[in-house]
Amino acid sequence: MTNPVYLDTSATTKVHPDVVEAMLPFLQETVGNASSLHFYGRKSHEAVDVARAQVAKLLNCQPEEIYFTPCGTYSNNTALLGRARFCEANDLGKHLITSVVEHPSVIGPAKYLEANGWKVTYLPVDKEGFVSVPELKKAITKDTSIISIMWANNEIGTVQPIAEIAEVAKEKNIYFHTDAVQVVGKMEVDMQAILVSALALSGHKLNAPKGIGVLFVRGGTNLMPIVFGGGQERGLFAGTENIASIVGMGKAAEIAHRSLAKTEKHLRNLQAIITEKLLAVDGIKITGPKDPELRVPGHVSVVVPGAQGDAIILQSDLKNICISSGSACHSGVIEPSSVLKAIALPREEALGSARISAGIFNTDKECREAAETLAGVFKSLMKKPAAVKY
Ligand code: PLP
């Protein structure tokens, strides 16, 4: 059997061979603690500095504005809870504005703050998953001290009007964090052009290993730590640095920066191929933005009316294709995700959601063939069971 076709890169990506190569010496040879003064410690420290500069180049910011974290989840948690600690200590107001479609690593801290004396506004989204900038403006009060809106949604691919939101926040002098985990490496993310205060990214979404993330914090922006220990990462992310993964993150950032235009073009092309094949099947509907330019490159999400999420994944898997669904089985009951509920899909459609996300290693031919196969699988799952005759 040939290896399955992997079309689930919004969930995670394969580590780039050049990233593996860059990491190997930091796994196989003596690797010092970056805080140690001796030869091996200095080597590690230097490697972290190189990686920091590589990530800064990708985001067009200063290396001092880059913090290495254990993953995207930690980046988001610190961006919210670490800022909230600072707001509380300085009486800056206890109102957070976020949206209903955020990742659990933002919704979780928001719920925690809500349970601890904060007011939280969860902005609704329209049918394509966009927050409304006028609604955001209306929600701002004198107590608003944090805005956190994701750059792009993992399930339905919606790319939010981040530049506009950043303008609003800047005008009102409000800290603005964005979860950019799904876009970095696929689209331009330029910290000189888009004036966010903080931005989270995750290594394993851009061909670095799992378990490494980054938090960009604009110079002059104050956050307090939420984890305490040895004071690494200038006190914000305590814990001995994972040198090999940091090196991998840096290399992945370098590759992403070098090939960004090519990658975006390639992913847009694969997205178009998959979308065309799937939408040719009567009844299949796109979820998220219809305009591909407003979606994450390479990301396609659809509903297969009458089908169920788990069956979609398993039947596709039987055909050697790995995809995902936003409708999962919890204790024997299929439930659509909160994102699918937020875009007000009828329940019977939301139960049959499918996400197909192509990455840099997928080819045109592979995507064309896989999409044809998926179209057949989806079609068969849409068929209503024949009426039982007595
Ligand atoms: N934010 C978004 C939008 C994601 O898709 C994910 C991962 O799926 C995360 C945050 C969390 O990143 P990590 O897996 O590195 O914790």
Side-chain angles (χ1 to χ4, degrees), residues 71-73 76 103 105 150 154 179 181-182 202 204-205:
C71 60
T73 296
N76 281 336
H103 187 266
S105 55
M150 71 200 317
N154 40 312
D179 170 356
V181 164
Q182 290 291 337
S202 169
H204 73 101
K205 311 284 183 179

Side-chain angles (χ1 to χ4, degrees), residues 3 55 116 142-143 201 207 218 271 275 286-287 337 341:
N3 278 340
V55 177
N116 285 276
K142 65 175 186 10
D143 289 325
L201 69 94
N207 308 101
R218 191 170 296 282
Q271 185 175 38
T275 306
I286 205 111
T287 54
S337 70
K341 286 180 186 162

Side-chain angles (χ1 to χ4, degrees), residues 137-159:
K137 283 187 186 160
K138 262 196 260 161
I140 293 173
T141 70
K142 65 175 186 10
D143 289 325
T144 310
S145 53
I146 305 179
I147 299 174
S148 182
I149 304 289
M150 71 200 317
W151 196 304
N153 186 268
N154 40 312
E155 281 188 50
I156 55 171
T158 315
V159 176

Side-chain angles (χ1 to χ4, degrees), residues 290-305:
K290 294 200 175 47
D291 178 352
E293 293 294 320
L294 301 177
R295 300 184 68 96
V296 174
H299 186 291
V300 181
S301 55
V302 296
V303 283
V304 185

Side-chain angles (χ1 to χ4, degrees), residues 75-385:
S75 304
N76 281 336
N77 269 260
T78 304
L80 266 71
L81 301 179
R83 180 63 183 184
R85 276 195 68 209
F86 179 79
C87 292
E88 285 173 14
N90 292 279
D91 280 332
L92 297 183
K94 290 169 56 166
H95 179 217
L96 158 70
I97 302 177
T98 186
S99 84
V100 287
V101 292
E102 300 296 313
H103 187 266
S105 55
V106 166
I107 295 288
K111 296 268 179 225
Y112 173 82
L113 290 175
E114 208 173 1
N116 285 276
W118 279 64
K119 186 173 180 315
V120 179
T121 302
Y122 298 91
L123 292 175
V125 293
D126 67 15
K127 287 196 156 130
E128 294 194 327
F130 292 107
V131 297
S132 141
V133 176
E135 286 288 319
L136 166 70
K137 283 187 186 160
K138 262 196 260 161
I140 293 173
T141 70
K142 65 175 186 10
D143 289 325
T144 310
S145 53
I146 305 179
I147 299 174
S148 182
I149 304 289
M150 71 200 317
W151 196 304
N153 186 268
N154 40 312
E155 281 188 50
I156 55 171
T158 315
V159 176
Q160 300 291 352
I162 287 300
E164 257 184 275
I165 296 171
E167 284 292 323
V168 171
K170 188 155 171 45
E171 206 175 284
K172 302 269 182 191
N173 201 19
I174 300 170
Y175 168 92
F176 172 41
H177 162 66
T178 186
D179 170 356
V181 164
Q182 290 291 337
V183 289
V184 175
K186 296 181 191 144
M187 302 172 61
E188 190 178 61
V189 173
D190 181 342
M191 294 296 86
Q192 300 308 314
I194 311 247
L195 298 179
V196 301
S197 315
L199 174 144
L201 69 94
S202 169
H204 73 101
K205 311 284 183 179
L206 71 147
N207 308 101
K210 295 164 187 63
I212 180 74
V214 165
L215 183 65
F216 157 85
V217 182
R218 191 170 296 282
T221 305
N222 290 299
L223 296 190
M224 286 164 83
I226 58 167
V227 170
F228 302 92
Q232 289 87 351
E233 290 300 279
R234 287 149 288 152
L236 199 52
F237 292 94
T240 302
E241 295 88 345
N242 178 352
I243 308 298
S245 292
I246 290 174
V247 166
M249 179 77 246
K251 190 68 187 177
E254 184 200 292
I255 297 167
H257 181 254
R258 192 186 334 121
S259 33
L260 195 59
K262 211 172 105 209
T263 296
E264 187 170 355
K265 193 163 169 241
H266 178 56
L267 296 183
R268 290 264 178 242
N269 183 40
L270 301 182
Q271 185 175 38
I273 291 171
I274 298 166
T275 306
E276 194 200 318
K277 295 268 177 218
L278 295 185
L279 293 191
V281 178
D282 234 14
I284 291 184
K285 282 192 254 176
I286 205 111
T287 54
K290 294 200 175 47
D291 178 352
E293 293 294 320
L294 301 177
R295 300 184 68 96
V296 174
H299 186 291
V300 181
S301 55
V302 296
V303 283
V304 185
Q308 298 211 332
D310 290 9
I312 291 175
I313 299 171
L314 294 175
Q315 291 300 325
S316 305
D317 196 42
L318 283 174
K319 297 280 182 191
N320 235 12
I321 302 168
C322 299
I323 60 166
S324 73
S325 171
S327 324
C329 189
H330 301 289
S331 318
V333 182
I334 298 270
E335 266 304 310
S337 70
S338 53
V339 173
L340 297 171
K341 286 180 186 162
I343 57 170
L345 275 182
R347 189 179 155 79
E348 63 283 6
E349 286 186 10
L351 291 180
S353 76
R355 179 184 72 184
I356 304 97
S357 48
I360 56 170
F361 295 117
N362 293 116
T363 63
D364 293 19
K365 180 171 176 288
E366 178 186 51
C367 285
R368 194 165 295 113
E369 288 170 6
E372 255 162 38
T373 307
L374 288 175
V377 170
F378 294 177
K379 206 169 171 177
S380 69
L381 287 169
M382 268 197 303
K383 276 198 193 125
K384 297 240 164 18

